[in-house]
Amino acid sequence: MIRVLVADDRTLVRGSFRILVDSAPDLTAVGEAESGEEAVCLARRERPDVVLMDIRMPGLDGIEATRQITADPTTSGVRVLILTTFDIDEYVFAALHAGASGFLLKDTRPADLLAAIRVIAAGDALLAPGVTRRLIEEFTSRPEARSRPSAALADTTEREREVLTLVGLGLSNTEIAAHLHVSLSTAKTHVGRLLMKLGARDRAQLVIAAYDARLVRPASTAETRPTSADRTRVPPPA
């Protein structure tokens, strides 16, 4: 059973997410937090697998709450899924460095949100394609981004660079496997090797590496992401 903590300052939103979570047979809501402080306290007490974290909350915001949760040895195994809108991408950038494992838009379909919780709980990272594009545009425009070494790419194979490109386009492991006509385990192996070779903490950093290496360009993401004509559409991983 995947244990989920919901953190949002709006009662109706929290209640809606809790009902959605409890509707899934493999998920259960273990608490609701209306502030960042409460989210940190409940995370320490309940040790959930995943926290659905809003960013804009009174007092301690979702970014600092995420940082405290992921930095605390007692809750370092808790995964944080940020729920955001296009209006606050600058905060998403900060949340990435705070240790968030995923980002989704608040208008995501219920079934996709449940699938995302499962992906995060399994130890993977997840980025909504739209958020990914704008996030990386922000990242690559910053002076410190230029200090990131790209020499590590020299140690990757042609297939690994192809996989890195697909990760940068926002594809899941399941979608990568379908696009390359390989097994899911093979796709996961390629992603795992990329994490090791590039010294990346998680999938979010692989996305940044793909853009930083110009394997994917922000302005062309919408056009370069494989379409239904190029690959077999598959449902989100269960």
Side-chain angles (χ1 to χ4, degrees), residues 140-222:
T140 55
S141 70
R142 297 191 174 200
E144 61 266 29
R146 300 275 61 80
S147 66
R148 286 176 53 85
S150 59
L153 281 177
D155 294 329
T156 60
T157 66
E158 181 177 353
R159 175 47 66 93
E160 286 170 347
R161 287 190 290 275
E162 185 177 6
V163 170
L164 181 60
T165 300
L166 296 174
V167 171
L169 290 172
L171 273 66
S172 67
N173 287 343
T174 302
E175 292 175 313
I176 291 172
H179 181 69
L180 297 179
H181 304 290
V182 299
S183 68
L184 178 58
S185 62
T186 297
K188 288 181 177 179
T189 296
H190 285 312
V191 171
R193 287 175 178 168
L194 284 168
L195 288 167
M196 178 182 65
K197 289 184 177 182
L198 299 182
R201 183 184 66 244
D202 55 29
R203 196 183 193 89
Q205 290 194 336
L206 288 183
V207 173
I208 289 177
Y211 278 81
D212 199 29
R214 296 298 188 264
L215 294 176
V216 179
R217 295 181 182 274
S220 61
T221 300

Side-chain angles (χ1 to χ4, degrees), residues 25-93:
D26 59 333
L27 308 178
T28 184
V30 295
E32 299 179 25
E34 62 179 358
S35 67
E37 292 93 339
E38 189 174 5
V40 173
C41 290
L42 285 176
R44 290 170 177 164
R45 188 182 75 191
E46 299 293 341
R47 308 287 178 84
D49 298 298
V50 177
V51 177
L52 295 183
M53 183 76 76
D54 185 27
I55 291 182
R56 286 182 171 174
M57 291 186 287
L60 193 72
D61 64 20
I63 296 173
E64 183 57 32
T66 296
R67 182 178 292 109
Q68 291 189 20
I69 290 171
T70 59
D72 188 334
T74 63
T75 54
S76 60
V78 175
R79 312 285 286 187
V80 178
L81 175 59
I82 297 289
L83 298 178
T84 184
T85 69
F86 282 132
D87 296 332
I88 51 177
D89 286 326
E90 62 182 281
Y91 299 113
V92 177
F93 177 81

